[in-house]
Amino acid sequence: HDVDVIKGKKIAIVDDVISTGESIKGLTELAEKAGAIVVKKLFVLAEGDAKNRTDVEYLATIPLL
């Protein structure tokens, strides 16, 4: 029922930590299916190899434990 709110809008996805990227992949696909245009993917922390991604921005890195 909220599809009309984001349909055709440019949006940013903001989350706390990126690690494998599966969550952001699913959320991006869902948002695009609803008609949104994902222009930024932002995180507080990048864990492990996520620090090497060029499609996201983050504030700091943490090691993969």
Side-chain angles (χ1 to χ4, degrees):
H1 68 279
D2 289 333
V3 170
D4 292 334
V5 174
I6 65 170
K7 188 173 185 177
K9 302 276 177 43
K10 294 178 182 177
I11 66 166
I13 297 173
V14 182
D15 203 353
D16 55 353
V17 179
I18 182 169
S19 186
T20 65
E22 289 301 311
S23 295
I24 193 69
K25 179 182 173 191
L27 187 51
T28 299
E29 290 172 1
L30 185 62
E32 290 174 346
K33 185 175 181 180
I37 304 155
V38 179
V39 295
K40 290 282 185 185
K41 300 172 193 170
L42 308 164
F43 297 87
V44 177
L45 300 170
E47 182 178 42
D49 289 336
K51 69 180 178 288
N52 300 324
R53 293 180 61 134
T54 58
D55 63 325
V56 301
E57 296 180 37
Y58 55 88
L59 296 176
T61 62
I62 55 175
L64 185 61
L65 301 176

Coordinates of all heavy atoms in Angstrom, one line a residue:
H1 N 0.8 -1.2 0.0 CA 0.0 0.0 0.0 C 0.8 1.3 0.0 O 0.3 2.3 -0.3 CB -1.0 0.0 1.2 CG -0.4 0.1 2.5 ND1 0.2 -1.0 3.2 CD2 -0.2 1.2 3.3 CE1 0.7 -0.6 4.3 NE2 0.4 0.7 4.4
D2 N 2.1 1.2 0.3 CA 3.0 2.4 0.4 C 3.8 2.5 -0.9 O 4.7 3.4 -1.0 CB 4.0 2.3 1.5 CG 3.3 2.5 2.9 OD1 2.2 3.2 2.9 OD2 3.8 2.0 3.9
V3 N 3.5 1.7 -1.9 CA 4.3 1.8 -3.2 C 4.2 3.1 -3.8 O 5.2 3.7 -4.3 CB 3.8 0.7 -4.2 CG1 4.4 0.9 -5.5 CG2 4.2 -0.7 -3.7
D4 N 3.0 3.7 -3.7 CA 2.8 5.1 -4.3 C 3.7 6.1 -3.7 O 4.0 7.1 -4.3 CB 1.3 5.5 -4.3 CG 0.5 4.6 -5.2 OD1 1.0 4.1 -6.2 OD2 -0.7 4.5 -4.9
V5 N 4.1 5.9 -2.5 CA 4.9 6.9 -1.7 C 6.3 7.0 -2.4 O 6.9 8.1 -2.5 CB 5.0 6.5 -0.2 CG1 6.0 7.5 0.5 CG2 3.7 6.6 0.4
I6 N 6.9 5.9 -2.8 CA 8.2 5.9 -3.4 C 8.3 5.7 -4.9 O 9.4 5.9 -5.5 CB 9.1 4.8 -2.7 CG1 8.7 3.4 -3.0 CG2 9.2 5.1 -1.2 CD1 9.7 2.4 -2.6
K7 N 7.2 5.4 -5.5 CA 7.2 5.2 -7.0 C 7.7 6.5 -7.7 O 7.2 7.6 -7.5 CB 5.8 4.8 -7.4 CG 5.8 4.4 -8.9 CD 4.4 3.9 -9.2 CE 4.4 3.3 -10.6 NZ 3.1 2.7 -11.0
G8 N 8.8 6.3 -8.5 CA 9.3 7.4 -9.2 C 10.2 8.3 -8.4 O 10.8 9.3 -9.0
K9 N 10.4 8.0 -7.2 CA 11.3 8.9 -6.3 C 12.7 8.4 -6.3 O 12.9 7.2 -6.3 CB 10.7 8.9 -4.9 CG 9.3 9.4 -4.8 CD 9.2 10.9 -4.8 CE 7.8 11.5 -4.7 NZ 6.8 11.0 -3.9
K10 N 13.6 9.3 -6.1 CA 15.0 8.9 -5.9 C 15.1 8.7 -4.4 O 14.7 9.6 -3.6 CB 16.0 10.1 -6.3 CG 16.0 10.3 -7.8 CD 16.9 11.4 -8.1 CE 16.9 11.7 -9.6 NZ 17.7 12.9 -10.0
I11 N 15.7 7.6 -4.0 CA 15.8 7.3 -2.6 C 17.2 6.8 -2.2 O 18.0 6.4 -3.0 CB 14.8 6.1 -2.1 CG1 15.2 4.8 -2.8 CG2 13.4 6.5 -2.5 CD1 14.5 3.6 -2.2
A12 N 17.5 6.9 -0.9 CA 18.8 6.4 -0.3 C 18.4 5.3 0.7 O 17.4 5.4 1.4 CB 19.5 7.5 0.4
I13 N 19.2 4.3 0.7 CA 19.0 3.2 1.6 C 20.1 3.4 2.7 O 21.3 3.5 2.3 CB 19.1 1.8 1.0 CG1 18.0 1.7 -0.1 CG2 19.1 0.7 2.0 CD1 18.1 0.4 -0.9
V14 N 19.7 3.5 3.9 CA 20.6 3.7 5.0 C 20.5 2.6 6.0 O 19.4 2.2 6.4 CB 20.3 5.1 5.8 CG1 21.3 5.3 6.9 CG2 20.3 6.2 4.7
D15 N 21.6 2.0 6.4 CA 21.6 0.8 7.3 C 22.8 0.9 8.2 O 23.7 1.7 8.0 CB 21.6 -0.5 6.5 CG 21.1 -1.7 7.3 OD1 20.8 -1.5 8.5 OD2 21.0 -2.7 6.7
D16 N 22.9 0.1 9.2 CA 24.0 0.1 10.2 C 25.3 -0.5 9.7 O 26.3 0.1 9.7 CB 23.6 -0.4 11.6 CG 23.0 -1.9 11.5 OD1 22.8 -2.4 10.4 OD2 22.8 -2.4 12.5
V17 N 25.2 -1.8 9.2 CA 26.4 -2.5 8.8 C 26.2 -3.3 7.5 O 25.1 -3.9 7.3 CB 26.8 -3.6 9.9 CG1 28.0 -4.4 9.5 CG2 27.0 -2.9 11.3
I18 N 27.2 -3.3 6.7 CA 27.1 -4.1 5.5 C 28.2 -5.1 5.6 O 29.4 -4.8 6.0 CB 27.3 -3.3 4.2 CG1 27.2 -4.2 3.0 CG2 28.6 -2.5 4.2 CD1 27.1 -3.6 1.6
S19 N 27.9 -6.4 5.3 CA 28.9 -7.5 5.4 C 28.9 -8.2 4.1 O 29.7 -8.0 3.2 CB 28.5 -8.4 6.6 OG 29.6 -9.4 6.7
T20 N 27.9 -9.1 3.9 CA 27.9 -9.9 2.6 C 27.2 -9.1 1.5 O 27.4 -9.4 0.3 CB 27.2 -11.2 2.8 OG1 25.8 -11.0 3.1 CG2 27.8 -12.0 3.9
G21 N 26.3 -8.2 1.9 CA 25.6 -7.4 0.9 C 24.3 -8.0 0.4 O 23.6 -7.4 -0.4
E22 N 23.9 -9.2 1.0 CA 22.7 -9.8 0.6 C 21.4 -9.0 1.0 O 20.5 -8.9 0.3 CB 22.6 -11.2 1.2 CG 23.5 -12.2 0.5 CD 23.3 -12.3 -0.9 OE1 22.1 -12.5 -1.4 OE2 24.3 -12.3 -1.7
S23 N 21.5 -8.4 2.2 CA 20.3 -7.6 2.7 C 20.2 -6.3 1.7 O 19.0 -6.0 1.3 CB 20.5 -7.1 4.1 OG 20.6 -8.2 5.0
I24 N 21.2 -5.7 1.4 CA 21.1 -4.5 0.6 C 20.7 -4.9 -0.8 O 19.9 -4.1 -1.5 CB 22.4 -3.6 0.5 CG1 22.2 -2.3 -0.1 CG2 23.5 -4.3 -0.2 CD1 21.3 -1.4 0.7
K25 N 21.1 -6.0 -1.3 CA 20.7 -6.5 -2.6 C 19.2 -6.7 -2.6 O 18.5 -6.3 -3.6 CB 21.4 -7.8 -3.0 CG 21.0 -8.4 -4.3 CD 21.7 -9.7 -4.5 CE 21.2 -10.4 -5.8 NZ 21.7 -11.8 -5.9
G26 N 18.7 -7.4 -1.6 CA 17.2 -7.7 -1.6 C 16.4 -6.4 -1.4 O 15.4 -6.2 -2.1
L27 N 16.9 -5.5 -0.6 CA 16.1 -4.2 -0.4 C 16.2 -3.4 -1.7 O 15.2 -2.7 -2.0 CB 16.7 -3.5 0.8 CG 15.9 -2.2 1.2 CD1 14.5 -2.5 1.4 CD2 16.5 -1.7 2.5
T28 N 17.3 -3.3 -2.3 CA 17.4 -2.6 -3.6 C 16.5 -3.2 -4.6 O 15.7 -2.4 -5.3 CB 18.9 -2.6 -4.1 OG1 19.7 -2.0 -3.2 CG2 19.0 -1.9 -5.4
E29 N 16.4 -4.5 -4.8 CA 15.5 -5.1 -5.7 C 14.1 -4.8 -5.4 O 13.3 -4.5 -6.3 CB 15.7 -6.6 -5.8 CG 17.1 -7.0 -6.4 CD 17.4 -8.5 -6.3 OE1 16.6 -9.3 -5.7 OE2 18.4 -8.9 -6.7
L30 N 13.7 -4.9 -4.1 CA 12.4 -4.6 -3.7 C 12.0 -3.1 -4.0 O 10.9 -2.8 -4.5 CB 12.2 -4.9 -2.2 CG 10.8 -4.7 -1.6 CD1 9.8 -5.7 -2.2 CD2 10.9 -5.0 -0.1
A31 N 12.9 -2.2 -3.6 CA 12.6 -0.8 -3.9 C 12.4 -0.5 -5.4 O 11.5 0.3 -5.8 CB 13.7 0.1 -3.3
E32 N 13.3 -1.1 -6.2 CA 13.2 -0.9 -7.6 C 12.0 -1.5 -8.2 O 11.3 -1.0 -9.1 CB 14.5 -1.4 -8.3 CG 15.7 -0.5 -8.0 CD 17.0 -1.0 -8.6 OE1 17.1 -2.2 -8.9 OE2 18.0 -0.3 -8.6
K33 N 11.6 -2.6 -7.7 CA 10.3 -3.3 -8.1 C 9.1 -2.4 -7.8 O 8.2 -2.3 -8.5 CB 10.2 -4.6 -7.4 CG 9.0 -5.4 -7.9 CD 9.0 -6.8 -7.3 CE 7.8 -7.6 -7.8 NZ 7.7 -8.9 -7.2
A34 N 9.2 -1.6 -6.7 CA 8.2 -0.7 -6.3 C 8.2 0.6 -7.1 O 7.4 1.5 -7.0 CB 8.2 -0.4 -4.8
G35 N 9.3 0.7 -8.0 CA 9.4 1.9 -8.8 C 10.3 3.0 -8.3 O 10.3 4.1 -8.9
A36 N 11.0 2.8 -7.2 CA 11.9 3.8 -6.7 C 13.3 3.7 -7.5 O 13.6 2.7 -8.1 CB 12.2 3.5 -5.2
I37 N 14.0 4.8 -7.4 CA 15.3 4.9 -8.0 C 16.3 5.0 -6.9 O 16.4 6.0 -6.2 CB 15.4 6.1 -9.0 CG1 14.3 6.1 -10.0 CG2 16.8 6.2 -9.6 CD1 13.9 7.4 -10.6
V38 N 17.1 4.0 -6.7 CA 18.1 4.0 -5.6 C 19.3 4.7 -6.0 O 20.0 4.3 -6.9 CB 18.4 2.5 -5.1 CG1 19.4 2.5 -4.0 CG2 17.2 1.8 -4.7
V39 N 19.6 5.9 -5.4 CA 20.7 6.7 -5.8 C 21.9 6.6 -4.8 O 23.0 6.9 -5.2 CB 20.3 8.2 -6.0 CG1 19.3 8.3 -7.1 CG2 19.7 8.8 -4.7
K40 N 21.6 6.2 -3.6 CA 22.7 6.0 -2.6 C 22.4 4.8 -1.7 O 21.3 4.5 -1.4 CB 22.8 7.2 -1.7 CG 23.3 8.5 -2.3 CD 24.8 8.4 -2.5 CE 25.3 9.8 -3.1 NZ 26.7 9.7 -3.4
K41 N 23.5 4.1 -1.3 CA 23.5 3.1 -0.3 C 24.5 3.4 0.7 O 25.7 3.4 0.5 CB 23.8 1.7 -1.0 CG 22.9 1.4 -2.1 CD 23.4 0.1 -2.9 CE 22.6 -0.1 -4.2 NZ 23.2 -1.1 -5.0
L42 N 24.0 3.7 1.9 CA 24.9 4.3 3.0 C 24.8 3.4 4.2 O 23.8 2.9 4.6 CB 24.4 5.7 3.3 CG 24.2 6.7 2.2 CD1 23.3 7.8 2.6 CD2 25.5 7.1 1.6
F43 N 26.0 3.3 4.8 CA 26.2 2.4 6.0 C 27.0 3.1 7.0 O 27.9 3.9 6.7 CB 26.8 1.1 5.6 CG 26.0 0.3 4.7 CD1 26.0 0.5 3.3 CD2 25.0 -0.6 5.2 CE1 25.2 -0.2 2.5 CE2 24.2 -1.3 4.4 CZ 24.3 -1.1 3.0
V44 N 26.8 2.8 8.3 CA 27.7 3.3 9.3 C 29.0 2.5 9.3 O 30.1 3.1 9.3 CB 27.1 3.2 10.7 CG1 28.0 3.6 11.8 CG2 25.8 3.9 10.8
L45 N 28.9 1.2 9.1 CA 30.1 0.3 9.2 C 30.1 -0.6 8.0 O 29.1 -1.1 7.6 CB 30.2 -0.5 10.5 CG 30.2 0.3 11.7 CD1 30.1 -0.6 12.9 CD2 31.6 1.1 11.9
A46 N 31.3 -0.9 7.5 CA 31.5 -1.9 6.5 C 32.4 -3.0 7.1 O 33.5 -2.8 7.7 CB 32.3 -1.4 5.2
E47 N 31.9 -4.3 7.1 CA 32.6 -5.4 7.7 C 33.3 -6.3 6.7 O 32.7 -6.6 5.6 CB 31.5 -6.2 8.5 CG 32.1 -7.4 9.2 CD 31.0 -8.1 10.0 OE1 29.9 -8.3 9.5 OE2 31.3 -8.5 11.2
G48 N 34.5 -6.6 6.9 CA 35.2 -7.5 6.1 C 35.4 -7.0 4.7 O 35.8 -5.8 4.5
D49 N 35.2 -7.8 3.6 CA 35.4 -7.4 2.2 C 34.4 -6.3 1.7 O 34.6 -5.8 0.6 CB 35.3 -8.6 1.3 CG 36.5 -9.5 1.5 OD1 37.6 -9.1 2.0 OD2 36.4 -10.7 1.2
A50 N 33.4 -6.0 2.5 CA 32.5 -5.0 2.1 C 33.2 -3.6 1.9 O 32.7 -2.8 1.1 CB 31.3 -4.9 3.1
K51 N 34.3 -3.5 2.5 CA 35.0 -2.2 2.4 C 35.6 -2.0 1.0 O 35.9 -0.9 0.6 CB 36.2 -2.2 3.4 CG 37.3 -3.1 3.1 CD 38.4 -3.0 4.2 CE 39.5 -4.0 3.9 NZ 39.2 -5.4 4.2
N52 N 35.6 -3.0 0.2 CA 36.1 -2.9 -1.2 C 35.0 -2.6 -2.2 O 35.3 -2.4 -3.4 CB 36.8 -4.2 -1.6 CG 38.0 -4.5 -0.7 OD1 38.7 -3.6 -0.2 ND2 38.2 -5.8 -0.4
R53 N 33.8 -2.6 -1.7 CA 32.7 -2.3 -2.7 C 32.7 -0.9 -3.1 O 33.0 0.0 -2.3 CB 31.3 -2.6 -2.0 CG 31.1 -4.1 -1.7 CD 29.8 -4.3 -1.1 NE 28.7 -3.9 -1.9 CZ 27.7 -4.6 -2.2 NH1 27.5 -5.8 -1.6 NH2 26.7 -4.2 -3.0
T54 N 32.4 -0.6 -4.4 CA 32.4 0.7 -4.9 C 31.0 1.3 -5.0 O 30.8 2.5 -5.4 CB 33.0 0.8 -6.3 OG1 32.4 -0.1 -7.2 CG2 34.5 0.3 -6.2
D55 N 30.0 0.5 -4.8 CA 28.6 0.9 -4.9 C 28.0 1.4 -3.6 O 26.8 1.7 -3.6 CB 27.7 -0.2 -5.5 CG 27.6 -1.4 -4.7 OD1 28.6 -1.8 -4.0 OD2 26.6 -2.1 -4.6
V56 N 28.7 1.4 -2.5 CA 28.2 1.8 -1.2 C 29.2 2.8 -0.6 O 30.3 2.9 -0.9 CB 28.0 0.6 -0.2 CG1 27.1 -0.4 -0.8 CG2 29.3 0.0 0.1
E57 N 28.6 3.6 0.4 CA 29.5 4.5 1.2 C 29.3 4.1 2.6 O 28.2 3.7 3.0 CB 29.0 5.9 0.9 CG 29.2 6.4 -0.5 CD 28.8 7.8 -0.7 OE1 29.0 8.7 0.2 OE2 28.2 8.1 -1.8
Y58 N 30.4 4.3 3.4 CA 30.3 4.0 4.8 C 31.3 4.9 5.6 O 32.1 5.5 5.0 CB 30.7 2.5 5.0 CG 32.0 2.1 4.4 CD1 33.2 2.3 5.1 CD2 32.1 1.7 3.1 CE1 34.4 2.0 4.6 CE2 33.3 1.3 2.6 CZ 34.5 1.5 3.3 OH 35.7 1.2 2.7
L59 N 31.1 4.9 6.9 CA 31.9 5.8 7.7 C 33.2 5.2 8.2 O 34.2 5.9 8.4 CB 31.1 6.3 8.9 CG 29.9 7.2 8.6 CD1 29.1 7.5 9.9 CD2 30.3 8.4 7.9
A60 N 33.1 3.9 8.5 CA 34.3 3.2 9.1 C 34.2 1.7 8.8 O 33.2 1.2 8.3 CB 34.4 3.4 10.6
T61 N 35.3 1.0 9.0 CA 35.4 -0.4 8.7 C 35.6 -1.2 10.1 O 36.1 -0.6 11.0 CB 36.5 -0.8 7.8 OG1 37.8 -0.5 8.4 CG2 36.4 -0.1 6.5
I62 N 35.1 -2.4 10.1 CA 35.4 -3.3 11.2 C 35.8 -4.7 10.6 O 35.4 -5.0 9.5 CB 34.1 -3.5 12.1 CG1 32.9 -4.0 11.3 CG2 33.8 -2.2 12.9 CD1 31.7 -4.3 12.2
P63 N 36.6 -5.4 11.3 CA 37.1 -6.7 10.8 C 36.0 -7.7 10.9 O 35.1 -7.6 11.7 CB 38.2 -7.1 11.8 CG 37.9 -6.3 13.0 CD 37.3 -5.1 12.6
L64 N 36.0 -8.7 10.0 CA 35.1 -9.8 10.0 C 35.6 -10.8 11.1 O 36.7 -11.3 11.0 CB 35.1 -10.5 8.6 CG 34.1 -11.6 8.5 CD1 32.6 -11.1 8.7 CD2 34.2 -12.2 7.0
L65 N 34.8 -11.0 12.1 CA 35.2 -11.9 13.2 C 34.7 -13.3 13.0 O 33.7 -13.7 12.5 CB 34.7 -11.4 14.5 CG 35.2 -10.0 14.9 CD1 34.5 -9.5 16.1 CD2 36.7 -10.0 15.0

